[in-house]
Amino acid sequence: MDFGRLITAMVTPFRGDGSIHWDETARLIDHLIEDQKSDALVIAGTTGESPTLTEEEKLELFRFAVKHAAGRSKIIAGTGSNNTAHSIELTKKAEQCGVDGILLVTPYYNKPNQEGLYRHFEAVAAATTLPVMLYNVPGRTGISLSAATTLRLAQIPNVVATKECASIDQVTAIVAGAPEGFIVYSGDDSAALPALAVGAYGIVSVASHVAGAQMKAMIQAYVDGQVKEAARLHQQLFPLFKGLFECPEPLPNPAAVKYALVQRGYQVGDVRLPLVAPTEREAAFINHLLSNL
């Protein structure tokens, strides 16, 4: 399965009462595919506020995205959790929804060792025929999937990719040892170009909600050997990449990008508690970032 080089981890649009805004979800999908050039969309990932979505909401989102995308992009379902049995159950249901693949985050909070991590992912992969993308984000989960364990998992036929947020060193090690057909995505927008330079294939992005077309151009420039042009685009986008998370103080994803989308005319609503919307100072900073795109 080729998920493409630019994957957007899509926010979940909410109405004022906190329910899913389905009309705006359709409009956002169109925007990400047609305007921002996303090759695939992650639905109900961290950026989609998966911790506060019910299982039924996730399944409704999977079905809706598959139907509305209508083959224009791949749909990847976020089905990972820190409960292996629940991850298996949700993955099976996602497969019935017609998604193209699944994204499995490392189990958070309970902090398994590397053998536990291996067995968790092995069990979920064995329960589906869908291609599996691993997701290592130690800053959020409190545990890191090692390069060695990632490469061990890469031997499983339907484990086809990883979204790596640990470090460029780890991306390098995984790429160096990966079997043919296993690909690495950066999960950090600011590391997208450096990751490409050490052999990554693409990016699972947040900033692509508002700068996807420029990011696609940056990736294509690098692939085409136009390294200086890729570097120029990276430098141009770098303040946005960093600012959406630092803002100027750390702001939990996806509060900043949701605010940015609202400023661009997409009524995606606020984040659900325990996340909160940007302060007035943070909002001014995000507006400044957008004005320089």
Side-chain angles (χ1 to χ4, degrees):
M1 171 63 67
D2 185 354
F3 294 123
R5 293 187 184 272
L6 179 65
I7 302 174
T8 298
M10 193 181 85
V11 305
T12 301
F14 296 133
R15 296 185 180 276
D17 63 2
S19 63
I20 296 175
H21 193 327
W22 294 107
D23 289 344
E24 205 64 10
T25 300
R27 187 166 171 247
L28 181 62
I29 289 171
D30 291 340
H31 167 68
L32 294 177
I33 297 171
E34 304 297 338
D35 301 329
Q36 301 299 349
K37 312 303 180 185
S38 297
D39 298 309
L41 305 176
V42 173
I43 306 298
T46 307
T47 306
E49 298 180 70
S50 58
T52 61
L53 293 172
T54 67
E55 181 170 309
E56 186 51 43
E57 285 175 327
K58 291 178 183 180
L59 294 172
E60 289 177 2
L61 282 164
F62 299 157
R63 288 189 287 264
F64 186 92
V66 167
K67 182 177 181 181
H68 193 77
R72 292 176 295 158
S73 73
K74 303 297 184 186
I75 300 298
I76 304 169
T79 60
S81 74
N82 64 344
N83 179 333
T84 305
H86 181 256
S87 295
I88 289 171
E89 178 186 0
L90 185 57
T91 295
K92 288 179 176 178
K93 291 177 179 178
E95 185 166 0
Q96 294 170 357
C97 294
V99 300
D100 298 293
I102 60 168
L103 180 73
L104 295 179
V105 69
T106 48
Y108 38 85
Y109 189 75
N110 41 15
K111 301 183 79 171
N113 62 16
Q114 293 300 309
E115 182 61 25
L117 289 170
Y118 177 83
R119 293 188 190 185
H120 169 83
F121 289 117
E122 178 189 41
V124 182
T128 183
T129 62
L130 290 172
V132 173
M133 182 187 296
L134 311 173
Y135 178 19
N136 187 41
V137 57
R140 284 185 174 272
T141 63
I143 190 73
S144 186
L145 187 68
S146 70
T149 304
T150 301
L151 292 172
R152 186 181 172 198
L153 287 163
Q155 302 301 318
I156 299 172
N158 65 325
V159 177
V160 301
T162 188
K163 176 186 176 184
E164 182 56 62
C165 299
S167 67
I168 290 295
D169 287 353
Q170 181 131 320
V171 170
T172 303
I174 296 169
V175 170
E180 184 176 357
F182 185 84
I183 57 179
V184 180
Y185 290 91
S186 172
D188 178 357
D189 284 314
S190 63
L193 185 58
L196 289 172
V198 298
Y201 186 73
I203 175 73
V204 181
S205 175
V206 174
S208 56
H209 283 88
V210 293
Q214 297 99 308
M215 294 181 71
K216 194 69 171 289
M218 177 187 74
I219 294 168
Q220 194 58 52
Y222 182 83
V223 171
D224 291 343
Q226 299 172 10
V227 177
K228 286 186 177 181
E229 175 62 9
R232 184 189 70 80
L233 289 167
H234 170 78
Q235 295 290 348
Q236 178 182 317
L237 293 167
F238 189 75
L240 177 73
F241 294 158
K242 300 297 286 186
L244 286 177
F245 291 90
E246 295 178 357
C247 195
E249 299 172 357
L251 184 64
N253 179 43
V257 75
K258 275 195 142 182
Y259 176 83
L261 280 165
V262 170
Q263 301 315 297
R264 290 293 174 88
Y266 293 89
Q267 301 308 310
V268 296
D270 285 335
V271 287
R272 284 178 173 174
L273 286 171
L275 301 183
V276 294
T279 64
E280 184 175 329
R281 179 169 176 256
E282 289 164 343
F285 182 78
I286 298 165
N287 285 328
H288 175 71
L289 292 174
L290 294 175
S291 71
N292 289 326
L293 278 181

